[in-house]
């Protein structure tokens, strides 16, 4: 046992996980936290990257793939893919370089220009990884789309970013995209990867699409990456806010430095690691840490196509001899439900470091890791806008279960309060609640929200980026998550904007008003619940409730749609007519109703 639980002196009910660094199987990259933080400089860290040959700039795709060929890793396995039906495929860095070159050449042959948007919407299949990295090398802007989105979130995002290319599977295309094509004139090319659909053939039914096998697999395997400005856009990641349409956070090629450094410090990646990030690349964690961070660190990544299943996951950990595992609270809680006995008989001796992200990780889950795996889960925190891990529990350092940990080297965090002058100031006293803020800049900080300057500007106060999360910092500098300052919902690690859900419900002719909130759930964190007021003359009954649930599911996809709908005569609103979700939630949970001075019309009993 390299870590053990000990009570903290004087802190009632609190415990601490003490690490015995001398017993760790591998010496952690970050040993002396204060000294490393004090000495860290981003421009010095940048020397860990190669940059394009001949001073042609910095390209994320090159740093993730091609540069390793110059460092003797051409034959090293970059991606080890395990398919749903048990098929396996390994791609070395050398093969990945060639495949991504083919993809970049295919884009050029289709007339796609640098800067144009390439959307990728697939399950976790090798073509997804090739398309993302190939498009980056072609200096296109990559946007991942969650394959479980319904047609509405897909159309909204494709339209907002003016996507030129979509790479998807024949099955997803037929089911979700085909009917939208007329609405999306800017989407010129749809590349279909994988078998399925009408026998995989491109006939009338497949007008306006081309097949991966024809355009990519046949393209040349050599490609010279053009000059890439480190400040040019590489990725657009959609994220949700409380109001309005989803926002597209703009990330630049330079962000790869954050991916590299956080892979070293927060995930403790070493050259001979076998890394497994369970997040889907349709979301930011699956892209930054399922693709970029391990690859730019030259580490072998396991990619598992199948969805969560505890026993199947234990088999993967055992069979692939995974050493570093990056997963999420919902999955951990699902494993906890099955109990540690489900792990019996598995040899997980290769596993040396486990981390978690995306939602609050309850202290019991951290401790359960220690009990079940002999390793605690190391919680860490970041968000779409920060582009990389900002706060983490580190391999060599003690863990305070329930805390997100401490800021990464190169990152200054603070809990801030608003000042009278409209700015913010750090709160120095420990354990005072305030907004979590990060001192700008760092390489992976978003450079904007696409076409939404005002929304972007509001995220900053002076030198601080405001995260929209509420937190506390203890006297030793550990951060404790309190909650969101806004109404966005985190369900199974996916950020859901209530507005998007309300809009889909409002499209139904029976609905007059909709208010959507997150209800606490012991496994997935929060589930989406909608309150609906019906149009005059429409009767609320079970059949309509089910119809609305089905309508939302069809429009939004199961991951985003409400799980529960409750009818109300009308909903509480502010004087400006906004539905007061905060009040709906407080009432639902029996919490204090807070300031009601803006309340105009209330629910009727
Ligand atoms: P996303 O942009 O979808 O990655 O969501 C980011 C949000 O997820 C953060 O602003 C937090 O509200 C939440 N989050 C991420 N990591 C953690 C964590 N370790 N603990 C608590 N909340 C988290």
């Amino acid at each position: 046992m390299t870590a053990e639980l000990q009570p903290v002196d004087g802190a009632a009910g609190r415990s601490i996980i003490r690490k015995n660094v001398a017993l760790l199987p591998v010496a952690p990259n970050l040993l002396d936290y204060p000294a490393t933080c004090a000495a860290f400089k981003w421009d010095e860290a940048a020397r860990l990257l190669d940059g394009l040959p001949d001073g042609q700039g910095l390209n994320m795709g090159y740093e993730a793939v091609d540069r390793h060929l110059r460092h003797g890793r051409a034959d090293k396995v970059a991606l080890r893919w395990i398919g749903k039906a048990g098929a396996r495929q390994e791609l070395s860095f050398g093969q990945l370089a060639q495949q991504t070159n083919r993809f970049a050449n295919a884009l050029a042959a289709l007339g796609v220009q640098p800067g144009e948007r390439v959307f990728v919407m697939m399950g976790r299949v090798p073509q997804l990884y090739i398309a993302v990295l190939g498009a980056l090398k072609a200096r296109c802007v990559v946007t991942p789309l969650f394959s479980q989105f319904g047609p509405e979130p897909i159309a909204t995002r494709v339209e907002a970013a003016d996507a030129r290319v979509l790479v998807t599977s024949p099955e997803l295309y037929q089911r979700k995209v085909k009917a939208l094509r007329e609405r999306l004139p800017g989407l010129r090319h749809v590349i279909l990867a994988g078998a399925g659909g009408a026998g995989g053939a491109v006939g009338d039914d497949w007008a306006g699409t081309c097949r991966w096998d024809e355009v990519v697999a046949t393209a040349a395997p050599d490609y010279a990456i053009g000059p890439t400005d480190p400040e040019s856009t590489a990725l657009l990641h959609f994220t949700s806010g409380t109001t309005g349409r989803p926002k597209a956070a703009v990330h630049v090629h330079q962000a790869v430095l954050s991916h590299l450094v956080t892979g070293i410090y927060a995930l403790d990646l070493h050259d001979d690691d076998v890394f497994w990030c369970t997040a889907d690349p349709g979301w930011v964690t699956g892209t930054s840490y399922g693709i970029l961070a391990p690859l730019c660190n030259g580490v072998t990544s396991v990619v598992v196509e199948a969805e969560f299943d505890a026993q199947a996951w234990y088999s993967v950990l055992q069979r692939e001899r995974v050493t570093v595992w990056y997963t999420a609270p919902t999955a951990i809680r699902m494993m906890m439900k099955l109990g540690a006995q489900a792990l019996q008989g598995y040899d997980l001796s290769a596993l040396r470091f486990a981390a978690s992200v995306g939602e609050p990780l309850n202290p019991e889950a951290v401790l359960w890791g220690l009990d079940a795996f002999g390793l605690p889960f190391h919680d860490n925190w970041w968000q779409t806008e920060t582009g990389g891990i900002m706060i983490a529990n580190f391999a060599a350092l003690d863990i305070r279960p329930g805390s997100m940990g401490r800021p990464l080297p190169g990152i200054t965090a603070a809990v801030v309060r608003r000042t009278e002058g409209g700015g913010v100031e750090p709160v120095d006293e420990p354990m005072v609640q305030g907004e979590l803020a990060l001192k700008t800049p760092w390489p992976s900080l978003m450079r904007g929200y696409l076409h939404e300057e005002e929304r972007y500007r509001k995220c900053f106060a002076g030198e601080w980026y405001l995260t929209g999360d509420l937190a506390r910092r203890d006297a030793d500098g550990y951060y404790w998550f309190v909650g969101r300052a806004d109404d966005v919902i985190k369900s199974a690690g996916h950020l859901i904007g209530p507005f998007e859900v309300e809009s889909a419900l409002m499209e139904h002719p029976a609905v007059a008003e909709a208010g959507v909130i997150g209800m606490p759930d012991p496994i997935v964190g929060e589930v989406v619940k909608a309150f609906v007021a019906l149009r005059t003359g429409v009767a609320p009954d079970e059949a309509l409730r089910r119809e609305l649930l089905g309508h939302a599911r069809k429009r939004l996809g199961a991951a985003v749609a409400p799980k529960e709908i409750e009818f109300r005569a009308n909903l509480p609103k502010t004087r400006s007519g906004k539905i007061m979700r905060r009040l709906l939630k407080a009432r639902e949970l029996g919490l204090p109703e807070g300031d009601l001075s803006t309340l105009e019309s209330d629910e009727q009993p």
Side-chain angles (χ1 to χ4, degrees):
M1 181 77 88
T2 54
E4 60 183 341
L5 190 65
Q6 290 176 7
V8 176
D9 297 340
R14 269 229 197 107
S15 53
I16 193 162
I17 294 174
R18 296 240 182 257
K19 302 281 186 63
N20 186 341
V21 176
L23 295 180
L24 291 173
V26 175
N29 291 324
L30 181 66
L31 278 167
D32 186 338
Y33 178 76
T36 309
C37 290
F40 186 89
K41 291 199 175 65
W42 282 110
D43 49 359
E44 280 174 18
R47 291 197 205 119
L48 297 169
L49 295 169
D50 280 13
L52 286 170
D54 307 321
Q56 298 279 294
L58 183 76
N59 183 291
M60 233 178 217
Y62 181 84
E63 297 300 324
V65 186
D66 300 39
R67 77 179 183 119
H68 298 298
L69 277 52
R70 304 173 131 210
H71 298 282
R73 294 197 183 101
D75 296 328
K76 181 174 179 177
V77 176
L79 296 174
R80 189 187 297 160
W81 176 74
I82 298 145
K84 271 185 194 155
R88 288 166 69 84
Q89 189 183 335
E90 288 190 342
L91 279 175
S92 66
F93 280 96
Q95 289 166 325
L96 194 56
Q98 289 201 340
Q99 300 277 12
T100 49
N101 285 347
R102 288 186 202 278
F103 189 82
N105 280 322
L107 289 180
L110 290 171
V112 180
Q113 300 295 317
E116 292 195 305
R117 262 74 72 185
V118 175
F119 274 49
V120 181
M121 180 175 74
M122 278 186 277
R124 290 176 293 270
V125 294
Q127 291 98 328
L128 179 148
Y129 297 78
I130 293 165
V132 167
L133 295 160
L136 288 170
K137 285 165 69 171
R139 295 173 293 158
C140 288
V141 176
V142 175
T143 300
L145 264 185
F146 189 37
S147 57
Q148 289 177 31
F149 275 152
E152 201 48 46
I154 295 171
T156 310
R157 288 160 176 78
V158 168
E159 265 174 340
D162 188 21
R164 198 64 70 240
V165 182
L166 170 68
V167 188
T168 188
S169 72
E171 191 265 327
L172 287 170
Y173 179 73
Q174 283 292 325
R175 200 151 52 83
K176 303 183 178 188
V177 184
K178 194 172 162 225
L180 301 170
R181 273 313 273 282
E182 283 197 359
R183 199 176 139 185
L184 307 170
L187 182 61
R188 279 204 218 111
H189 309 285
V190 173
I191 302 176
L192 299 175
V202 179
D204 282 350
D205 215 21
W206 303 92
T209 68
C210 54
R211 291 198 54 85
W212 180 282
D213 292 346
E214 282 154 19
V215 296
V216 183
T218 55
D222 303 309
Y223 181 82
I225 301 175
T228 312
D229 180 347
E231 282 297 315
S232 59
T233 306
L235 296 160
L236 276 181
H237 280 295
F238 278 91
T239 183
S240 298
T242 306
T243 55
R245 305 249 157 234
K247 312 166 272 190
V250 174
H251 290 288
V252 297
H253 282 272
Q254 175 85 37
V256 73
L257 181 54
S258 293
H259 302 142
L260 182 88
V261 165
T262 54
I264 294 169
Y265 289 139
L267 300 176
D268 195 40
L269 293 177
H270 287 62
D271 203 26
D272 53 357
D273 273 322
V274 177
F275 176 68
W276 182 25
C277 170
T278 61
D280 191 280
W283 299 90
V284 72
T285 302
T287 308
S288 297
Y289 293 95
I291 306 178
L292 296 164
L295 291 179
C296 64
N297 274 290
V299 162
T300 298
S301 261
V302 172
V303 175
V304 177
E305 186 185 10
E307 293 307 324
F308 173 81
D309 173 272
Q311 301 285 344
W313 276 26
Y314 301 150
S315 300
V316 169
L317 290 170
Q318 170 179 269
R319 197 184 51 240
E320 309 305 329
R321 309 239 359 115
V322 171
T323 56
V324 177
W325 185 28
Y326 195 25
T327 188
T330 293
I332 296 170
R333 290 189 289 259
M334 282 156 85
M335 289 184 270
M336 277 173 82
K337 215 169 141 194
L338 284 179
Q341 67 277 10
L343 274 151
Q344 266 169 20
Y346 290 97
D347 169 11
L348 305 184
S349 55
L351 190 63
R352 66 170 184 86
F353 185 72
S356 160
V357 74
E359 345 150 33
L361 184 66
N362 23 333
E364 307 77 52
V366 179
L367 300 177
W368 182 75
L370 197 56
D371 185 37
F373 296 92
L375 295 169
F377 286 102
H378 295 73
D379 188 17
N380 61 52
W381 179 97
W382 61 291
Q383 54 180 198
T384 304
E385 288 85 345
T386 70
I389 301 171
M390 297 283 111
I391 295 178
N393 285 284
F394 300 94
L397 304 188
D398 294 346
I399 295 179
R400 303 191 173 179
S403 158
M404 314 187 283
R406 286 188 273 180
L408 268 281
I411 299 299
T412 304
V415 169
V416 298
R417 66 176 142 233
R418 306 265 166 181
T419 59
E420 280 179 8
V424 298
E425 64 184 13
V427 177
D428 289 330
E429 314 87 78
M431 290 320 255
V432 174
Q433 180 176 317
E435 188 166 356
L436 177 62
L438 302 160
K439 197 177 267 183
T440 59
W442 63 91
S444 65
L445 172 62
M446 66 163 170
R447 300 299 197 264
Y449 288 129
L450 189 70
H451 310 317
E452 301 204 67
E453 181 58 29
E454 181 60 16
R455 260 173 135 182
Y456 172 69
R457 231 179 22 78
K458 281 192 180 148
C459 297
F460 299 89
E463 62 186 345
W464 295 100
Y465 162 70
L466 306 170
T467 67
D469 279 3
L470 301 174
R472 296 193 179 97
R473 196 195 65 236
D474 69 21
D476 299 311
Y478 283 76
Y479 282 80
W480 301 76
F481 182 80
V482 174
R484 291 284 308 186
D486 58 19
D487 292 334
V488 293
I489 300 162
K490 256 279 155 122
S491 186
H494 305 142
L495 203 66
I496 297 171
F499 179 78
E500 202 168 10
V501 182
E502 288 159 3
S503 305
L505 285 167
M506 297 283 290
E507 281 169 21
H508 192 283
V511 176
E513 289 173 346
V516 166
I517 63 167
M519 289 289 287
D521 179 272
I523 301 290
V524 297
E526 287 185 299
V527 287
V528 179
K529 175 166 183 177
F531 295 87
V532 166
L534 296 172
R535 286 187 190 279
T536 316
V538 182
D541 59 20
E542 186 51 27
L544 180 57
R545 209 179 58 80
R546 277 210 224 106
E547 186 181 319
L548 289 178
L549 283 169
H551 162 85
R553 214 179 146 92
K554 208 165 140 215
R555 308 285 296 164
L556 298 166
V560 181
K563 299 277 177 293
E564 219 185 304
I565 290 181
E566 192 175 315
F567 293 120
R568 290 282 165 92
N570 56 14
L571 303 176
K573 283 188 283 298
T574 62
R575 288 182 218 290
S576 56
K578 271 197 210 145
I579 293 182
M580 292 184 79
R581 303 183 189 113
R582 175 176 62 76
L583 189 55
L584 280 170
K585 188 162 180 171
R587 287 178 177 167
E588 193 64 11
L589 300 177
L591 300 171
E593 295 191 355
D595 178 9
L596 295 184
S597 57
T598 59
L599 181 66
E600 169 80 359
S601 61
D602 207 348
E603 298 169 284
Q604 277 158 13

